[in-house]
C-alpha cells in the first residue's frame, strides 16, 4: 500500500482545513506547494506568481512538489499532501500543452486521490488566491479529468465538516 496520499480538488474547497484536522490527529501532512511558492516569491520580490508568470509559477510548484514527495518517503506511516505533482502537471498541460516526460510515472501517490468539489458557500479569495470561483471550478474540472488520465481513481469528498471528511478518508484507507 502506498502511504503517500493526495488531497486535491477545487481551490477554496476545504483542503487546507481538512489537512489541519489530519495533522491534529497526529498524521504527517505536507502543505500546498503553490501557496509556499507564492510566499517565497513575495518575500524576495520574485515574479513566479500565478498572476504574473503562470508558467514559472507552475514550474516552481512542480519542483517543490517533487521535493515534498521525495522527503515524504522518510516518515513512517501515512502522509497526506495538500495538492502535489499531478496538480502542477495538469496546470502545465493546460497552459503549454506539454507535460514533462515521465514525471507522473516516476512519482506515484496512492491510487485513490481525494477531491474537494467546488463549494461556493465556503469559497474565499485571499492574498495568495486571487482568482475567482469560476476559475477555481474550471481548474477543478481539469483536475477531475486529469487524475484518471494519469492513472488515478478519484473519490469526491462530500461537503461535510472537516472532521467527517477526515473520518471518511481514514476509513477508506483503513487507517486507524
Amino acid at each position: 500500500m502506498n502511504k503517500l496520499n493526495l488531497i486535491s480538488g477545487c481551490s477554496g474547497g476545504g483542503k487546507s482545513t481538512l489537512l489541519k484536522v489530519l495533522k491534529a490527529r497526529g498524521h504527517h501532512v505536507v502543505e500546498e506547494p503553490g501557496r509556499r511558492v507564492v510566499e517565497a516569491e513575495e518575500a524576495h520580490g520574485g515574479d513566479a506568481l500565478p498572476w504574473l508568470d503562470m508558467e514559472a509559477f507552475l514550474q516552481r510548484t512542480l519542483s517543490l512538489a517533487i521535493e515534498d514527495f521525495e522527503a515524504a518517503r522518510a516518515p513512517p506511516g501515512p502522509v497526506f499532501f495538500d495538492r502535489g505533482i499531478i496538480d502542477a502537471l495538469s496546470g502545465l498541460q493546460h497552459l503549454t500543452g506539454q507535460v514533462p516526460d515521465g514525471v507522473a510515472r516516476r512519482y506515484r501517490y496512492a491510487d485513490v486521490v481525494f477531491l474537494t468539489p467546488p463549494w461556493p458557500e465556503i469559497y474565499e479569495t485571499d492574498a495568495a488566491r486571487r482568482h475567482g470561483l469560476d476559475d477555481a471550478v474550471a481548474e477543478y474540472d481539469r483536475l477531475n479529468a486529469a487524475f484518471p488520465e494519469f492513472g488515478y481513481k478519484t473519490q469526491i469528498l462530500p461537503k461535510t465538516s472537516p472532521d467527517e471528511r477526515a473520518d471518511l478518508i481514514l476509513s477508506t484507507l483503513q487507517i486507524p
Side-chain angles (χ1 to χ4, degrees):
M1 170 189 258
N2 190 331
K3 68 175 191 156
L4 306 177
N5 300 282
L6 187 60
I7 299 171
S8 184
C10 192
S11 293
K15 290 179 300 301
S16 297
T17 304
L18 169 57
L19 271 284
K20 287 177 186 173
V21 169
L22 290 167
K23 185 175 184 174
R25 292 184 184 189
H27 297 287
H28 183 77
V29 302
V30 178
E31 294 180 19
E32 182 182 347
R35 283 193 173 267
R36 290 183 285 144
V37 168
V38 168
E39 184 178 295
E41 289 297 299
E42 288 183 331
H44 77 271
D47 63 354
L49 297 162
W51 50 90
L52 294 179
D53 186 343
M54 180 61 91
E55 187 171 358
F57 167 76
L58 289 168
Q59 290 290 352
R60 294 234 174 112
T61 300
L62 176 60
S63 294
L64 185 55
I66 290 170
E67 289 174 24
D68 290 343
F69 186 97
E70 292 290 350
R73 293 180 190 207
V79 179
F80 295 94
F81 293 82
D82 185 346
R83 295 196 184 268
I85 294 167
I86 304 303
D87 296 77
L89 290 175
S90 173
L92 284 168
Q93 184 176 38
H94 174 70
L95 186 67
T96 68
Q98 304 286 323
V99 174
D101 190 42
V103 172
R105 283 188 306 278
R106 227 177 2 259
Y107 302 99
R108 293 288 303 171
Y109 298 94
D111 288 338
V112 176
V113 174
F114 297 93
L115 295 179
T116 60
W119 197 345
E121 294 81 7
I122 67 169
Y123 184 85
E124 294 179 352
T125 57
D126 58 31
R129 183 189 304 129
R130 297 183 181 183
H131 57 276
L133 180 60
D134 289 345
D135 289 332
V137 170
E139 177 191 33
Y140 171 80
D141 291 340
R142 286 191 301 274
L143 288 168
N144 199 16
F147 281 108
E149 289 175 12
F150 285 109
Y152 292 94
K153 297 174 193 149
T154 57
Q155 181 170 341
I156 298 172
L157 294 172
K159 296 177 184 177
T160 59
S161 75
D163 280 311
E164 290 172 316
R165 283 177 157 187
D167 290 343
L168 175 64
I169 289 171
L170 296 173
S171 172
T172 300
L173 298 174
Q174 299 178 345
I175 298 171

